[in-house]
Amino acid sequence: MIDDLVDEKVLRTLGDGEYAERLRLLEQEMAALPAADTTVAQLCSWCTDHGDWNVRRLSVEALAARFADDPAARSALCAATHDDIDWVAFTAIKVVGAHRITEARPRPDTDLRLAEQLQPPGSRT
């Protein structure tokens, strides 16, 4: 049933009320999915690749709520912080912070290399 709820073609054709109801059902179905590797993989895929931004947002929330310790989920949550849709990105930023997912922070040596690249020519020591 959940695959029917996330069908992009169907989601595009729904009116506002039907769309909201579909999202409400999807959120319930995501919460009821089994705690399995296949669930993590599916949510990770939707979190980063689904064409509907609300499906991505709900996937971020479901991953964080249920699988924040899973390495694949953590990676997908970090990737979602760069989503083109602010609501998805900010939701991901919020859950990454709440779960202290340190992989989302740049490494100190990356910051140093970037700072060196941004210095004007001739000013490097």
Side-chain angles (χ1 to χ4, degrees):
M1 174 174 174
I2 197 161
D3 290 327
D4 295 334
L5 293 175
V6 299
D7 186 310
E8 290 181 52
K9 291 178 185 175
V10 173
L11 289 171
R12 277 186 240 130
T13 65
L14 299 175
D16 291 346
E18 293 172 308
Y19 181 75
E21 177 62 15
R22 175 71 57 112
L23 294 179
R24 187 188 66 72
L25 291 172
L26 177 59
E27 192 169 17
Q28 288 177 347
E29 288 293 319
M30 284 181 174
L33 288 170
D37 290 342
T38 55
T39 298
V40 172
Q42 185 64 74
L43 290 173
C44 286
S45 175
W46 290 338
C47 174
T48 57
D49 300 327
H50 198 279
D52 185 279
W53 70 268
N54 270 309
V55 174
R56 294 194 308 274
R57 176 185 60 84
L58 290 173
S59 299
V60 165
E61 291 173 350
L63 277 173
R66 299 184 56 209
F67 303 106
D69 292 332
D70 183 279
R74 294 170 73 87
S75 179
L77 291 169
C78 290
T81 65
H82 300 284
D83 196 281
D84 291 341
I85 302 297
D86 288 346
W87 198 333
V88 178
F90 291 147
T91 300
I93 290 166
K94 182 177 111 183
V95 300
V96 161
H99 290 280
R100 306 240 191 283
I101 299 176
T102 57
E103 299 93 303
R105 289 186 286 164
R107 296 187 332 234
D109 64 322
T110 303
D111 291 341
L112 182 59
R113 284 194 311 267
L114 179 60
E116 289 172 353
Q117 291 172 358
L118 294 176
Q119 289 180 356
S123 67
R124 294 187 183 139
T125 57

